[in-house]
């Protein structure tokens, strides 16, 4: 029995050690892209707190991710900071802010084969990154290549982006399943990219040449099909660079079908993931109607089809985003921003209903609640309640206390 107890304790101790293991990985450089789950991990050396990583082809920009997450994060101190071969750079650390500036790698326009990086992390989260070595080459001397990248290419990985190849003098790419949002990039890097046309904000249609919007002072919005719920199997696209600098994309062929995916409502209350807590459930007997029950709801949100494949957000009144209001239907805008709340109120016992017209791309959401959670009321979902109509108004009676529909005592 003692031996078994000692063995069990040893397993617990080992699990505790493993749980405390911290991994550091390089995210963002052009070979890998910005998927933290696929970022290359540093390997700890014989010196505690010192880690090394060799990258086959290193160029672009990067950050250092902790435990394959966006926070904590190590990044540049100032926008535009770069690290050259032989340099040691003192990294900026944040436990919460993933928007810190990227670290530029090497000289502009150059790449580094078999680049060796050394990361040194101290107990107080201070860290330095050393660019130990690498075989430098001039990327500007390489012929330009173009790729199409999106959720269908391994979650926006530049390394897995599908390349346009010269087919009888025409740049051509075949995408097994074209859907959601996508962009065109150059040389598997994000410095130059093309997507939604800045002026028309239109989607891509079959056999209609599309003049793409280019990156200028900000990135263009992801390009979608004219019907964002559509998908094309074995989609063939051509890309034609123009003498004036425009890029024209044409969807030449493909097998059409409606994309199958789940609906989610990520936001400040339920979290910004697309997981079970944010997922709608189809309503039995009602076509294209979905429902989610939330014990509490407030703040801003979006409505998302698939894992952020298609985003529906706020409509606008001029430059101002229209807010959602309790018990009022809200028509969402494709590619809109976050939908803000009209008030800071937290509503309880919410039924969130989503109705979708796939053919006409109409998405409406209704958040219903009969009460609010606030310091002025002691309403709880577990207490028995009586609902009555008095003078045309709903009155809720709990434990002898009378409340209106918003949970305020009468």
């Amino acid at each position: 029995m003692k031996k078994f107890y000692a063995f069990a304790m040893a397993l617990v101790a080992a699990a505790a050690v493993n749980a405390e293991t911290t991994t550091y990985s390089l995210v963002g450089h052009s070979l890998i892209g910005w998927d933290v789950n696929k970022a290359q991990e540093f390997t700890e050396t014989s010196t505690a707190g010192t880690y090394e990583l060799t990258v086959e082809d290193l160029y672009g920009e990067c950050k250092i991710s902790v435990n394959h997450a966006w926070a904590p994060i190590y990044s540049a101190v100032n926008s535009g900071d770069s690290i050259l071969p032989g340099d040691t750079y003192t990294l900026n650390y944040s436990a919460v802010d993933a928007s810190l500036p990227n670290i530029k790698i090497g000289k502009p326009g150059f790449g580094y084969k078999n680049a060796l990086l050394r990361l040194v992390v101290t107990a107080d989260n201070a860290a330095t990154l050393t660019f130990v070595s690498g075989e430098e080459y001039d990327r500007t001397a390489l012929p330009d290549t173009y790729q199409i990248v999106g959720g269908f290419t391994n979650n926006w990985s530049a390394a897995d982006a599908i390349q346009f190849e010269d087919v009888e003098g025409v740049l051509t790419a075949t995408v097994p399943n074209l859907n959601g949002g996508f962009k065109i990039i150059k040389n598997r890097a994000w410095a130059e990219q093309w997507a939604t046309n800045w002026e028309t904000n239109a989607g891509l249609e079959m056999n209609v040449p599309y003049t793409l919007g280019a990156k200028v002072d900000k990135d263009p919005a992801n390009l979608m099909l004219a019907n964002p719920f559509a998908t094309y199997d074995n989609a063939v696209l051509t890309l034609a660079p123009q003498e004036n600098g425009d890029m024209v994309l044409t969807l030449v062929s493909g097998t059409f079908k409606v994309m199958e995916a789940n609906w989610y409502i990520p936001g400040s209350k339920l979290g910004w993931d697309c997981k079970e807590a944010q997922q709608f459930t189809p309503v039995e007997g009602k076509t294209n109607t979905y429902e989610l029950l939330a014990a509490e709801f407030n703040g801003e949100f979006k409505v998302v089809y698939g894992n952020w494949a298609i985003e529906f957000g706020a409509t606008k009144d001029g430059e101002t985003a229209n807010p959602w209001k309790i018990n009022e239907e809200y028509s969402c805008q494709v590619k809109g921003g976050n939908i803000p709340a009209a008030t800071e109120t937290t509503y309880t016992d919410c039924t969130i209903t989503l109705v979708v017209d796939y053919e006409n791309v109409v998405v409406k959401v209704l958040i219903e609640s009969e009460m609010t959670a606030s310091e002025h009321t002691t309403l709880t979902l577990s207490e028995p309640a009586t609902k009555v109509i008095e003078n045309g108004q709903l009155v809720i009676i709990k434990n002898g206390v009378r409340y209106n529909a918003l949970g305020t005592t009468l």
Side-chain angles (χ1 to χ4, degrees):
M1 182 67 180
K2 288 182 178 180
K3 289 183 178 180
F4 176 79
Y5 177 78
F7 177 72
M9 292 303 293
L11 287 178
V12 171
V17 170
N18 290 334
E20 295 173 358
T21 299
T22 301
T23 61
Y24 301 93
S25 51
L26 189 71
V27 62
H29 67 93
S30 294
L31 186 64
I32 295 299
W34 293 100
D35 185 347
V36 290
N37 295 312
K38 298 182 179 298
Q40 292 177 281
E41 291 185 8
F42 286 81
T43 301
E44 189 166 18
T45 67
S46 57
T47 303
T50 300
Y51 306 81
E52 291 187 348
L53 170 66
T54 299
V55 181
E56 179 182 350
D57 190 7
L58 181 67
Y59 58 96
E61 302 179 354
C62 70
K63 284 185 169 79
I64 307 297
S65 169
V66 180
N67 295 329
H68 290 281
W70 281 112
I73 199 82
Y74 289 92
S75 59
V77 177
N78 302 300
S79 179
D81 284 359
S82 61
I83 181 170
L84 299 173
D87 283 355
T88 296
Y89 183 87
T90 300
L91 297 166
N92 192 9
Y93 171 82
S94 175
V96 296
D97 189 4
S99 66
L100 294 174
N102 301 328
I103 310 160
K104 294 184 179 296
I105 299 167
K107 297 188 298 187
F110 281 77
Y112 303 85
K113 298 289 187 181
N114 300 315
L116 175 61
L117 301 174
R118 181 177 297 125
L119 176 70
V120 179
V121 183
T122 61
D124 59 356
N125 292 323
T128 60
L129 181 66
T130 301
F131 195 159
V132 180
S133 62
E135 181 185 343
E136 184 178 87
Y137 68 96
D138 185 357
R139 292 190 59 79
T140 64
L142 300 176
D144 290 330
T145 60
Y146 299 93
Q147 298 80 30
I148 181 169
V149 62
F152 49 80
T153 56
N154 216 344
N155 199 22
W156 293 93
S157 167
D160 297 310
I162 297 172
Q163 186 153 307
F164 286 86
E165 305 290 354
D166 189 322
V167 178
E168 297 181 355
V170 178
L171 290 176
T172 306
T174 300
V175 180
N177 186 246
L178 181 67
N179 63 76
F182 47 92
K183 289 185 174 182
I184 306 301
I185 58 175
K186 180 179 177 181
N187 299 330
R188 298 195 181 276
W190 295 97
E192 295 184 68
Q193 52 186 264
W194 297 264
T196 300
N197 185 286
W198 291 106
E199 296 180 358
T200 66
N201 201 38
L204 181 66
E205 299 180 60
M206 178 68 74
N207 286 317
V208 177
Y210 188 99
T211 300
L212 299 164
K215 179 175 181 176
V216 187
D217 56 343
K218 62 179 181 178
D219 297 346
N222 298 340
L223 178 60
M224 295 182 178
L225 297 166
N227 183 333
F229 298 113
T231 181
Y232 285 93
D233 287 344
N234 299 316
V236 177
L237 303 106
T238 61
L239 184 67
Q242 305 295 299
E243 291 184 1
N244 64 358
D246 286 345
M247 299 287 279
V248 177
L249 181 71
T250 305
L251 174 59
V252 177
S253 64
T255 303
F256 172 87
K257 64 181 182 181
V258 175
M259 179 172 60
E260 296 182 5
N262 293 319
W263 281 101
Y264 301 89
I265 184 168
S268 55
K269 184 61 179 178
L270 300 180
W272 292 99
D273 298 315
C274 289
K275 296 181 180 178
E276 185 176 356
Q278 299 85 13
Q279 185 175 336
F280 285 95
T281 301
V283 177
E284 187 175 354
K286 293 186 177 181
T287 303
N288 300 333
T289 302
Y290 310 84
E291 189 176 84
L292 184 148
L293 304 179
E296 293 185 344
F297 195 83
N298 65 11
E300 60 183 15
F301 67 90
K302 279 188 175 182
V303 177
V304 173
Y305 193 54
N307 189 6
W308 292 99
I310 310 173
E311 304 174 25
F312 290 85
T315 57
K316 286 188 175 183
D317 183 5
E319 294 298 318
T320 304
N322 292 318
W324 66 271
K325 298 177 182 178
I326 197 68
N327 300 328
E328 291 188 14
E329 190 175 63
Y330 190 100
S331 295
C332 303
Q333 174 68 44
V334 64
K335 294 191 284 189
N338 295 345
I339 304 172
T343 71
E344 296 182 359
T345 304
T346 297
Y347 299 96
T348 62
D349 195 15
C350 296
T351 300
I352 306 174
T353 305
L354 182 70
V355 180
V356 182
D357 180 343
Y358 289 95
E359 182 177 355
N360 296 300
V361 195
V362 176
V363 174
K364 296 182 178 182
V365 64
L366 173 64
I367 303 169
E368 297 177 285
S369 174
E370 294 181 347
M371 62 198 73
T372 62
S374 72
E375 60 184 6
H376 304 296
T377 178
T378 57
L379 293 179
T380 63
L381 300 179
S382 61
E383 294 173 353
T386 301
K387 301 177 182 179
V388 297
I389 302 297
E390 295 182 358
N391 299 321
Q393 301 296 319
L394 175 68
V395 176
I396 303 171
I397 303 173
K398 285 194 174 187
N399 296 333
V401 182
R402 297 157 61 81
Y403 304 89
N404 65 16
L406 295 179
T408 305
T409 54
L410 297 174

